Amino acid sequence: MKVLLTVLVLIFNLQSWTEAKEFGEFEIEGILLKESLLKYFDKKEIEAKKKNGFVYPKKDFYSATFLSSKFKKYDRVQFHLKADDKKYIIYSLTGQIIYKNNIKKCYQDMENIVSEIKSMFKDPKVVDLGVDSHELDKDTKVKTTFIDLSSTKYHEAAIVIECYDWSEKSTQDKGLLDKLMISIDSKEFEYWINNVAYD
């Protein structure tokens, strides 16, 4: 039986984020980590996203971000898939909520989410990484909290909560808006993004 994770429902009633039967797997917008993205989008849509999805120096994984009427609570959902995987398995999924010119609200909601998650798991390892510059735009600031579930029975997943405070230049030139991101990462993707992607 699925157990409702109340993080976002309690905090801002935005998402029914649930724990799945499968050991260590979670879902956002009804989509599970380690499922095939083909269950939700057709191959042409995914391949179109893939063309511009190699956003990291290393090309093992690509990013595919969708805006869809299927999504009820998030503005966008981002997926990371392996470059050569014909099954289109999801190794990371991220719900994104836009905070237009309201980064303080993003920080406040982020703090509440982290507090709620800490209360839901026994002895999770919570690492506040503070605020740092974005790799591609030094004037953009990213506040990050990492929740390692390796000490829990959900040891195959990690949760990352971030607030992006985009620079004026990024907003003007690329239309990027401040946002909250809640990611559920497989251990394989978590290792890659932290140790390989930018080498």
Side-chain angles (χ1 to χ4, degrees):
M1 171 183 272
K2 294 182 179 180
V3 179
L4 183 64
L5 289 180
T6 57
V7 177
L8 298 180
V9 174
L10 287 178
I11 294 167
F12 33 65
N13 196 27
L14 286 176
Q15 172 63 36
S16 58
W17 184 22
T18 57
E19 177 188 341
K21 286 181 182 179
E22 291 79 0
F23 186 70
E25 292 184 350
F26 301 87
E27 64 183 42
I28 285 177
E29 294 284 5
I31 302 172
L32 285 169
L33 194 67
K34 293 297 187 76
E35 278 191 305
S36 172
L37 193 56
L38 290 172
K39 289 180 66 175
Y40 305 96
F41 297 96
D42 66 41
K43 185 176 178 180
K44 285 184 178 180
E45 289 179 288
I46 300 170
E47 286 293 329
K49 299 287 185 182
K50 182 177 180 179
K51 288 179 181 178
N52 297 313
F54 290 98
V55 295
Y56 308 102
K58 297 293 184 181
K59 308 302 180 187
D60 306 290
F61 286 87
Y62 64 94
S63 167
T65 302
F66 288 86
L67 292 83
S68 174
S69 59
K70 298 175 186 177
F71 302 149
K72 305 301 181 186
K73 306 300 180 182
Y74 287 102
D75 297 310
R76 287 173 264 190
V77 177
Q78 180 184 47
F79 306 93
H80 282 93
L81 303 95
K82 284 187 175 179
D84 57 354
D85 183 11
K86 300 304 181 185
K87 294 182 178 180
Y88 300 94
I89 300 300
I90 301 164
Y91 286 84
S92 171
L93 65 160
T94 302
Q96 301 182 6
I97 301 167
I98 302 302
Y99 289 75
K100 189 174 181 180
N101 300 321
N102 198 356
I103 194 64
K104 288 183 180 180
K105 182 69 167 69
C106 187
Y107 290 153
Q108 180 183 10
D109 288 341
M110 178 184 185
E111 185 177 328
N112 291 336
I113 292 167
V114 171
S115 178
E116 184 66 23
I117 292 175
K118 286 167 67 175
S119 73
M120 292 166 53
F121 295 98
K122 185 178 180 180
D123 300 322
K125 182 180 178 182
V126 179
V127 181
D128 183 351
L129 298 175
V131 179
D132 204 353
S133 295
H134 192 278
E135 294 88 354
L136 303 178
D137 178 357
K138 299 305 179 184
D139 292 325
T140 289
K141 303 302 178 185
V142 184
K143 181 175 175 59
T144 305
T145 297
F146 174 79
I147 301 176
D148 185 353
L149 300 179
S150 59
S151 62
T152 77
K153 67 178 181 177
Y154 310 107
H155 61 82
E156 289 302 316
I159 299 170
V160 182
I161 304 109
E162 296 177 299
C163 279
Y164 280 69
D165 184 9
W166 291 105
S167 67
E168 287 187 20
K169 180 173 175 54
S170 286
T171 298
Q172 291 173 359
D173 294 352
K174 301 178 182 178
L176 299 174
L177 300 173
D178 297 345
K179 62 185 175 181
L180 173 70
M181 295 176 57
I182 302 176
S183 301
I184 303 167
D185 297 337
S186 66
K187 281 294 185 179
E188 182 176 354
F189 180 78
E190 175 210 331
Y191 178 85
W192 182 83
I193 197 70
N194 290 318
N195 298 283
V196 179
Y198 293 98
D199 285 352

